[in-house]
């Protein structure tokens, strides 16, 4: 069995002595997933499924996955270094780890962006009970839910075009779409939607379109407190309710902001990446239609 190349580095960072070729005893738990599978799990929730589980040793198991701490420290460097490996390296140094520690993140800047998106969504979900949605109209609930989630992006707005381009990269698109699907499901569920027919699909496609359009609009918004963005969101929801066809309105909203954000995203997009992204999106939607994740 091939040894995970990141295991020795993680052990070294945590002060553990390598066990070498000792054969594990039957009562010791080991992870036998491939590096790819473990990376896929770690992208979903850092820290909940450490790469290494204890090997047989006479020393106490004091291993602590350093990645969440590195990622948290790296977020503080994004304003200076953007969503980059440099941010990961500097973040590691601020918590007294060597700069080469960024090597434990096989997908580099994507791992950092993905950590932020996952962390923000989890924190947002935990705060939903404080929104008092039961006292709001359906429209007010929808606006409150979308706005409060988008507000997590504000501290990183100057570098958010880069983050969006990283998430849209063909390699990362299926996982990014999974995050978006989970987010939209939560928004509509909390807003009171209980659709079971074809409306289930059209509503989710529409809300995702409006969420993305508003997210893009924020990039070019220079108004105080993003007032123009929230007005834009309000109008899109009004139009959606008035037209009764969410998907049509979502497409129109994306067209409205398309020209304004093109110049922001241009440095990160190439014809090859765009074509590959479309292919990845088609593959993902096909798998979803067949009941696969």
């Amino acid at each position: 069995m091939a040894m995970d190349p990141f295991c020795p580095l993680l052990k070294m960072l945590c002060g553990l002595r390598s066990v070498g070729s000792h054969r594990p005893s039957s009562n010791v738990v080991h992870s036998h997933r491939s590096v790819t599978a473990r990376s896929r799990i770690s992208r979903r929730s850092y820290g909940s499924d450490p790469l290494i589980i204890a090997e047989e040793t006479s020393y106490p198991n004091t291993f602590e996955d350093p990645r969440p701490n590195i990622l948290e420290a790296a977020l503080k460097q994004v304003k200076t270094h953007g969503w980059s490996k440099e941010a990961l390296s500097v973040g590691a140094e601020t918590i007294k780890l060597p700069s080469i520690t960024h090597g434990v993140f096989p997908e580099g800047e994507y791992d950092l962006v993905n950590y932020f998106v996952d962390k923000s969504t989890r924190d947002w979900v935990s705060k939903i009970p404080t929104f008092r949605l039961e006292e709001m109209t359906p429209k007010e609930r929808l606006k409150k839910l979308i706005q409060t989630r988008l507000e997590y992006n504000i501290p990183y707005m100057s570098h958010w075009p880069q983050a969006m381009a990283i998430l849209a990269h063909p390699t990362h698109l299926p996982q990014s779409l999974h995050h978006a699907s989970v987010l939209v499901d939560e928004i509509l569920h909390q807003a009171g939607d209980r659709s079971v027919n074809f409306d289930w699909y059209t509503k989710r496609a529409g809300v995702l379109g409006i969420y993305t359009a508003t997210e893009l609009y924020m990039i070019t918004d220079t108004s105080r407190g993003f007032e123009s963005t929230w007005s834009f969101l309000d109008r899109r929801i009004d139009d959606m309710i008035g037209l009764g066809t969410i998907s049509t309105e979502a497409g129109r909203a994306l067209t409205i902001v398309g020209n304004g954000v093109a110049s922001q995203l241009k440095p990160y997009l190439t014809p090859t990446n765009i074509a590959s992204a479309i292919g990845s999106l088609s593959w993902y939607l096909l798998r979803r239609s067949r009941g696969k994740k």
Side-chain angles (χ1 to χ4, degrees):
M1 181 178 297
M3 178 176 291
D4 188 333
F6 299 117
C7 289
L9 179 56
L10 283 170
K11 289 179 182 179
M12 177 189 72
L13 295 175
C14 299
L16 295 181
R17 190 175 72 176
S18 176
V19 180
S21 58
H22 290 178
R23 181 178 297 276
S25 61
S26 59
N27 63 344
V28 177
V29 180
H30 285 259
S31 174
H32 295 299
R33 288 188 289 260
S34 68
V35 174
T36 301
R38 288 188 287 201
S39 297
R40 188 161 56 245
I41 292 172
S42 67
R43 285 202 299 270
R44 294 174 185 168
S45 178
Y46 284 100
S48 62
D49 186 42
L51 283 176
I52 307 172
I53 303 176
E55 291 187 9
E56 184 180 31
T57 176
S58 59
Y59 295 94
N61 180 13
T62 58
F63 175 77
E64 179 182 354
D65 189 347
R67 293 175 302 166
N69 292 334
I70 297 171
L71 289 165
E72 195 64 36
L75 285 179
K76 299 176 182 178
Q77 307 301 323
V78 170
K79 293 181 181 179
T80 303
H81 303 289
W83 304 93
S84 64
K85 291 182 180 179
E86 186 176 5
L88 288 166
S89 295
V90 175
E93 290 177 341
T94 62
I95 57 173
K96 311 302 182 183
L97 290 174
S99 60
I100 61 169
T101 307
H102 70 75
V104 301
F105 301 104
E107 298 191 60
E109 57 271 11
Y110 172 73
D111 285 331
L112 180 57
V113 177
N114 188 73
Y115 171 77
F116 169 72
V117 171
D118 183 69
K119 174 190 174 185
S120 298
T121 299
R122 290 174 183 272
D123 188 68
W124 169 75
V125 169
S126 70
K127 292 180 179 178
I128 288 177
T130 67
F131 295 166
R132 304 177 70 174
L133 297 176
E134 66 279 0
E135 300 176 6
M136 302 179 187
T137 64
K139 173 193 170 182
E140 291 170 340
R141 292 176 191 172
L142 195 57
K143 180 181 180 181
K144 179 71 173 180
L145 290 163
I146 294 176
Q147 178 175 335
T148 50
R149 177 58 186 86
L150 286 172
E151 285 174 344
Y152 281 86
N153 300 345
I154 292 177
Y156 306 97
M157 193 52 59
S158 61
H159 292 284
W160 199 243
Q162 180 191 8
M164 294 184 71
I166 291 171
L167 291 170
H169 189 277
T171 305
H172 311 140
L173 191 58
Q175 182 68 15
S176 299
L177 289 172
H178 171 74
H179 280 306
S181 175
V182 171
L183 175 62
V184 171
D185 279 347
E186 188 67 26
I187 289 173
L188 280 169
H189 177 76
Q190 295 293 342
D193 178 66
R194 299 295 184 270
S195 300
V196 294
N197 53 17
F198 190 74
D199 284 346
W200 190 94
Y201 298 97
T202 58
K203 287 181 179 180
R204 276 151 182 78
V207 170
L208 177 58
I210 291 176
Y211 180 94
T212 304
T214 308
E215 185 178 31
L216 290 169
Y217 190 97
M218 290 182 74
I219 296 173
T220 57
D221 186 6
T222 58
S223 64
R224 183 176 181 179
F226 292 91
E227 293 176 358
S228 294
T229 295
W230 311 137
S231 295
F232 174 86
L233 172 60
D234 200 49
R235 292 193 300 272
R236 300 288 71 77
I237 296 176
D238 280 340
D239 291 341
M240 176 188 75
I241 294 173
L243 291 174
T245 51
I246 301 178
S247 57
T248 300
E249 177 54 28
R252 189 166 74 87
L254 285 168
T255 301
I256 291 172
V257 300
N259 292 334
V261 301
S263 60
Q264 298 284 337
L265 295 174
K266 186 176 180 180
Y268 308 104
L269 300 177
T270 65
T272 301
N273 283 349
I274 293 172
S276 299
I278 293 172
S280 297
L281 176 59
S282 300
W283 171 83
Y284 176 82
L285 293 176
L286 178 62
R287 288 176 62 85
R288 291 277 291 183
S289 68
R290 294 177 177 177
K292 298 179 181 179
K293 296 183 179 179

